[in-house]
Amino acid sequence: MLATKKCRNCDLPSLPNRARCEKHLTYFRKYAFSWRHKNKEHANESRRRWHDSNPDHLWAYSIRVKYGVTPEMYNAMLEAQGGKCAIEGCTAEIPGKIGSKESSRRWHIDHDHKTGKVRGLLCTTCNLGVGYFKDDVALLQSAIRYLEKAKQD
């Protein structure tokens, strides 16, 4: 039988993956909010220092929440694309993998805005281009025809 953890403040069982029961967790969340509100400068400086010293952690959390992608999945996609932008012919330089010295330069995670499905990793230029064309294949084809016509003239 699994042993349930007890709340730090009482004998009630704690919430899963928490150190306190629901009553005390709610109390401490309100207390923490109140403290941060009264000590904004200190709280902001503390948060800023933590963010500066943990950029990979914040980035990993962000992509997991936004796209359902882990750092391992990101690195696997990057490797599957040969370390290049997913759009053929793009000559963008290779940003670093997570944890490397160049990890501040990362590929953009391209996704379908209707379904949320991740399509691949794009460089900034290609990501902006696809975004400006609103993922509309017909509009992109029209732009290609326009460029081809202008090239012939």
Side-chain angles (χ1 to χ4, degrees), residues 55-82:
D56 283 342
H57 178 81
L58 292 172
W59 181 80
Y61 174 79
S62 174
I63 64 168
R64 185 172 45 84
V65 170
K66 287 181 185 176
Y67 311 109
V69 173
T70 64
E72 292 78 19
M73 293 164 72
Y74 174 92
N75 286 334
M77 281 192 290
L78 184 59
E79 194 172 313
Q81 291 178 198

Side-chain angles (χ1 to χ4, degrees), residues 42-58:
H42 180 71
N44 287 341
E45 180 56 33
S46 178
R47 188 178 300 120
R48 205 173 292 114
R49 273 195 319 270
W50 190 89
H51 285 202
D52 291 345
S53 62
N54 295 285
D56 283 342
H57 178 81
L58 292 172

Side-chain angles (χ1 to χ4, degrees), residues 30-49:
K30 286 180 183 175
Y31 173 79
F33 177 81
S34 173
W35 183 90
R36 284 191 307 269
H37 185 70
K38 291 175 187 172
N39 300 281
K40 283 182 183 178
E41 285 185 32
H42 180 71
N44 287 341
E45 180 56 33
S46 178
R47 188 178 300 120
R48 205 173 292 114
R49 273 195 319 270

